[in-house]
Amino acid sequence: MDHVTGFRCLLCGAEYGLDEVDYVCPLHGDDGILDVVYDYDVIGARLSREALAVSPERSMWRYKALLPVAPDAVVPPLRVGWTPLYPAPRLAEKVGLETVWVKDDGVNPTASFKDRASALAVVKAQAAGAEVITTASTGNAAAALAGLSASVGLPAVIFVPKSAPPAKIAQHLIYGARVLLVDGSYGDAFELTLKVAREFHWYNRNTAYNPFMTEGKKTAAYEICEQLDWQVPDVVFVPVGDGCIIGGMHKGFKDLLTLGWIDRMPRLMGVQAEGSSPLVQAFDRGLAAEDMVPVAVHTVADSICASLPRDRVKALAAVRQTGGAFLAVSDAEILGAIPIIAQATGVFCEPAAAASYAGLVRAVDKGLVSVGERTVLLLTGSGLKDVGSAMRTVAAPPVVAPTLDAVRAALRTFV
Ligand SMILES: *Cc1c(COP(=O)(O)O)cnc(C)c1O
Ligand SMILES: [Zn+2]
């Protein structure tokens, strides 16, 4: 792995070799989140835009040379990433913009963006010789880990709050993970998993704490640029809970800029639910990540419900360094966005994913995006993950007798 030089602590800048630390900077405990550092000269000599153009690999592993894995590492068989970027002209028209695309990460094997991180976690766990892999999750990270682990036969133990949506718990169970429903919040599950993994020597996939999760997630930024023929979009909207996805997007675009494959950065817009918006508050008040404290949170968008975002350092840097913004949207706006996106694009999102469109509406209202700016919405998870929330946004369909007359009468009720 001569293309990876090691880790750097986001808080103190201390550098470590890959074998020197496990997850976090020893000087800062569990908050000492690390960044993976690369040698871009080595990477640039191995991979080019031209080589990618003829790559037959239709998954995130087409960017293996940019990931912290050995060139000959065996990767899980499930096809993760290289998800479609659809032009969304009718969605653009709704908000008065010229060009909007949606990136549909709901088509990943376990139906969310989290597969990108979990695929990498499984490779790292196997390389470390781990017998068990574990994670805390609001639901999707664990579903992704359960599915990716099942694909290679690695035992997984997962910790989710007992309030997680049933479809996600069904995924965990069906994939054969050992599931423990924590009588507490996601934050409680997270702390518990840290203790349990240390005690039993399990490989820990916890978001942010495991520095490789950002690396898996950054592949979506590569894909967006490649799918747009390396013409960087102006603005990218990302739903934000822990902040790992937006931090990963930032890393991905920075990697490409360093390699000289793109010529500028897009603005990254982080969207949070009003009931879980600590990063919006920190952004508005100019707070440093280190000064944030846990707050009470509640939202219908379970995947972005986080009281003290674990990747707050990376998330704030992503938005501040790209000249973007953090925006809060209400649960009503989030739910309302689900059928709007579905009807304008054909993509059915879970609430957290729909927040990206709700954020776009807010941003246009506030004058943060202008008409000609090329805009991408990251749709991070499938609507089938939470059918109950989606059904709150539509009327119950009429029941008809099996006759033409009954159909004629019923059709008059659709205005
Ligand atoms: C996890 C998740 C997010 C937020 O990602 P963070 O890294 O926690 O900010 C957004 N949408 C969906 C569907 C998710 O599962
Ligand atoms: Zn440190």
Side-chain angles (χ1 to χ4, degrees), residues 27 95 100 130 185 194 238 252 264 287 303 313 361 399:
L27 303 173
V95 290
V100 173
S185 65
L194 295 178
V238 184
R264 62 196 172 84
L287 272 190
S303 302
V313 176
V361 174
V399 177

Side-chain angles (χ1 to χ4, degrees), residues 184-206:
S185 65
Y186 166 59
D188 296 326
F190 197 103
E191 294 296 330
L192 178 61
T193 308
L194 295 178
K195 284 190 211 138
V196 168
R198 273 179 209 130
E199 179 71 16
F200 301 122
H201 305 287
W202 293 345
Y203 188 82
N204 192 339
R205 179 230 176 269
N206 271 13

Side-chain angles (χ1 to χ4, degrees), residues 152-305:
V152 299
L154 179 67
V157 181
I158 62 191
F159 296 88
V160 286
K162 64 175 199 258
S163 59
K168 297 181 183 179
I169 295 174
Q171 287 185 295
H172 311 150
L173 294 168
I174 294 294
Y175 284 128
R178 276 171 268 163
V179 182
L180 292 144
L181 297 181
V182 178
D183 188 8
S185 65
Y186 166 59
D188 296 326
F190 197 103
E191 294 296 330
L192 178 61
T193 308
L194 295 178
K195 284 190 211 138
V196 168
R198 273 179 209 130
E199 179 71 16
F200 301 122
H201 305 287
W202 293 345
Y203 188 82
N204 192 339
R205 179 230 176 269
N206 271 13
T207 295
Y209 172 79
N210 183 319
F212 297 120
M213 301 305 90
T214 304
E215 305 302 310
K217 290 174 176 179
K218 73 182 182 182
T219 54
Y222 300 161
E223 291 175 19
I224 289 169
C225 292
E226 193 179 357
Q227 289 166 324
L228 294 178
D229 208 12
W230 308 102
Q231 302 301 304
V232 191
D234 296 298
V235 204
V236 181
F237 284 79
V238 184
V240 177
D242 271 327
C244 186
I245 295 182
I246 199 165
M249 298 299 287
H250 188 212
K251 178 78 176 275
F253 289 117
K254 279 192 297 183
D255 284 352
L256 299 184
L257 191 69
T258 307
L259 286 165
W261 295 4
I262 58 174
D263 56 7
R264 62 196 172 84
M265 295 289 286
R267 302 202 301 286
L268 294 177
M269 311 292 261
V271 186
Q272 295 210 285
E274 267 171 7
S276 176
S277 53
L279 286 164
V280 182
Q281 287 158 30
F283 180 74
D284 287 348
R285 293 182 198 151
L287 272 190
E290 294 89 316
D291 297 328
M292 292 174 64
V293 292
V295 293
V297 285
H298 183 76
T299 167
V300 67
D302 58 288
S303 302
I304 50 172
C305 194

Side-chain angles (χ1 to χ4, degrees), residues 78-81 105-112 115-116 147-148 171 175:
L78 293 182
R79 202 197 61 153
V80 177
D105 257 59
V107 303
N108 277 307
T110 78
S112 91
D115 285 335
R116 296 178 185 272
L148 270 300
Q171 287 185 295
Y175 284 128

